[in-house]
Amino acid sequence: MQSGQGMRIGMIGFGEVGHVFAKGLLAGGATIAAYDLLFDDPEAAAAATRDARSVGVVPAATNAEACEGADIIFSCVTASQALAVARKTAGSMRAGQVFFDVNSVSPATKRAAAEAVEAAGADYVEGAVMAPVLGPDLKVPILGAGRRAGEIAERLNALGMNIRPVATEIGRASATKLCRSIMIKGLEALIIDCTRAAAAFGVTEDVFKSFYNSYPGMDWDEIAATMPGRVEKHGLRRAAEMREVAAMLRDLGMDGSLADAVADRHERYATIETKRARQSEAAE
């Protein structure tokens, strides 16, 4: 496997995360071929492939084509499709290639994906993206785990990434990510309902004053201002992630109902707000 200039990367999924990573990796000297379901959509294919080419990515017609000749294959899909994509892509991989799974799924899902990839003779490394990608972009903190996690971190960090290997066993990185999500995604859902209810009763000032008294180190005004927009934009993806959290908790024999409720709240909020925005645009 090459490092730095000349590294060949395949990418499955070319949404927000794939797009951000691709731009940074290309700037570091890599070449990238990507496949996305939108490339097969008659209505979206032309715009989607044009978008890929505009940043220097070669659109691939299939998963197999994206994998051909690649050193590392990134999986940047939705949580609900992560395992299916790993299983499908495994059949197109060869010995020496690495499947780098950066999807937000449970440790059990990552282990199942690893089994599929390794049964095909390739290698699997999990990546847990620990913050929103937009902003830090390629420098977003990522935890890595797997037998080749240290090697992959060294090679991709040379291209500008920020991967910290934490274990050789699959599951630790994703467990860290999803345990964090219990708090962060839960807080997002809570703050939205809290601020809306407080506003409806006209008690926002007193409620927030009590927040600052109890937790003076947190900027509650900033949290309340930014989280609704983040949930509106990313709520469906975060809902899928929280369902993986619920699955993780049940695997431990714990109650996953709170995580399911947070998932429902993110999904409902994102869906309702998106619908309202579209209705408003149509009315204008």
Side-chain angles (χ1 to χ4, degrees), residues 123-149:
D123 294 299
Y124 180 96
V125 172
E126 70 164 330
V129 181
M130 299 302 291
V133 171
L134 293 180
D137 297 337
L138 198 62
K139 286 293 186 183
V140 66
I142 299 176
L143 303 182
R147 184 176 60 84
R148 296 179 65 182

Side-chain angles (χ1 to χ4, degrees), residues 12-25:
I12 311 300
F14 197 63
E16 179 180 272
V17 172
H19 197 280
V20 168
F21 284 175
K23 288 181 69 176
L25 292 166

Side-chain angles (χ1 to χ4, degrees), residues 2 16 66 72 81 127 139 167 172 195 198 210 228 235-236 253-254 270:
Q2 303 172 38
E16 179 180 272
I72 302 173
Q81 294 301 308
K139 286 293 186 183
R172 177 168 176 175
T195 54
S210 72
L236 295 180
M254 297 173 64

Side-chain angles (χ1 to χ4, degrees), residues 180-191 242 262 266:
R180 176 183 184 275
S181 294
I182 295 172
M183 179 63 70
I184 300 302
K185 271 63 175 184
L187 180 59
E188 288 174 341
L190 289 170
I191 197 70
M242 288 306 296
V262 172
H266 277 261

Side-chain angles (χ1 to χ4, degrees), residues 204-268:
T204 300
E205 183 178 350
D206 286 339
V207 169
F208 273 68
K209 186 180 295 183
S210 72
F211 287 165
Y212 282 107
N213 288 337
S214 298
Y215 301 97
M218 297 182 70
D219 189 340
W220 290 100
D221 288 284
E222 174 67 14
I223 291 170
T226 58
M227 284 193 175
R230 287 163 56 179
V231 174
E232 179 183 342
K233 183 175 182 180
H234 303 292
L236 295 180
R237 176 170 56 79
R238 292 177 179 187
E241 180 179 321
M242 288 306 296
R243 299 198 197 287
E244 289 289 321
V245 171
M248 177 185 73
L249 294 174
R250 292 188 181 103
D251 286 341
L252 294 171
M254 297 173 64
D255 183 357
S257 60
L258 177 58
D260 278 329
V262 172
D264 290 342
R265 192 66 191 91
H266 277 261
E267 187 174 77
R268 184 171 181 273

Side-chain angles (χ1 to χ4, degrees), residues 6-124:
M7 182 181 290
R8 294 171 297 179
I9 292 173
M11 192 168 283
I12 311 300
F14 197 63
E16 179 180 272
V17 172
H19 197 280
V20 168
F21 284 175
K23 288 181 69 176
L25 292 166
L26 288 164
T31 58
I32 300 177
Y35 170 74
D36 191 280
L37 285 176
L38 287 180
F39 296 173
D40 295 332
D41 186 326
E43 295 183 358
T49 55
R50 185 168 57 248
D51 178 53
R53 291 191 181 97
S54 71
V55 297
V57 169
V58 177
T62 62
N63 284 32
E65 189 174 306
C67 293
E68 189 174 348
D71 300 306
I72 302 173
I73 293 90
F74 278 66
S75 178
C76 310
V77 297
T78 60
S80 62
Q81 294 301 308
L83 182 54
V85 165
R87 287 171 171 165
K88 181 176 181 179
T89 306
S92 302
M93 296 182 67
R94 55 170 173 75
Q97 288 182 309
V98 176
F99 187 88
F100 187 38
D101 188 343
V102 298
N103 301 301
S104 297
V105 294
S106 71
T109 301
K110 290 276 176 94
R111 286 192 288 267
E115 288 178 8
V117 170
E118 291 169 357
D123 294 299
Y124 180 96

